[in-house]
């Protein structure tokens, strides 16, 4: 990830923050889908779209994947 310095130092810290964000979204009455970012697929997806592998690209990839899973695309 090009923004690696902005990410938590370990997976456990990242997971705790992600689960807290998910709980906040659901508590606000929104529906959320968990999306796994495959570290082998993501760089290729970014390259095909001329995107840096950063937070913005992760959000776009998650939205893209969620829309596919939900049957909107």
């Amino acid at each position: 990830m090009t923004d690696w310095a902005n990410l938590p130092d370990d997976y456990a810290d990242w997971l705790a923050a992600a689960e807290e964000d998910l709980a906040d979204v659901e508590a606000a009455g929104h529906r959320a889908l968990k999306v796994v970012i495959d570290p082998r697929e993501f760089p290729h997806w970014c390259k095909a779209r001329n995107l840096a592998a950063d937070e913005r690209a992760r959000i776009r990839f998650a939205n893209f994947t969620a829309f596919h899973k939900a049957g909107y695309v």
Side-chain angles (χ1 to χ4, degrees):
M1 301 294 169
T2 60
D3 61 345
W4 61 270
N6 298 332
L7 296 170
D9 289 332
D10 61 48
Y11 177 75
D13 290 342
W14 172 85
L15 182 59
E19 289 176 344
E20 185 176 322
D21 290 345
L22 178 62
D24 291 345
V25 166
E26 290 175 340
H30 302 286
R31 181 174 170 221
L33 296 173
K34 291 182 183 180
V35 174
V36 175
I37 295 179
D38 183 328
R40 295 168 303 213
E41 177 186 354
F42 183 64
H44 299 292
W45 186 89
C46 289
K47 186 175 182 178
R49 289 157 180 80
N50 199 29
L51 300 171
D54 60 9
E55 180 181 19
R56 289 183 66 190
R58 289 189 298 273
I59 291 168
R60 285 182 65 177
F61 181 80
N63 288 334
F64 174 82
T65 303
F67 273 84
H68 278 287
K69 284 186 176 184
Y72 293 115
V73 177

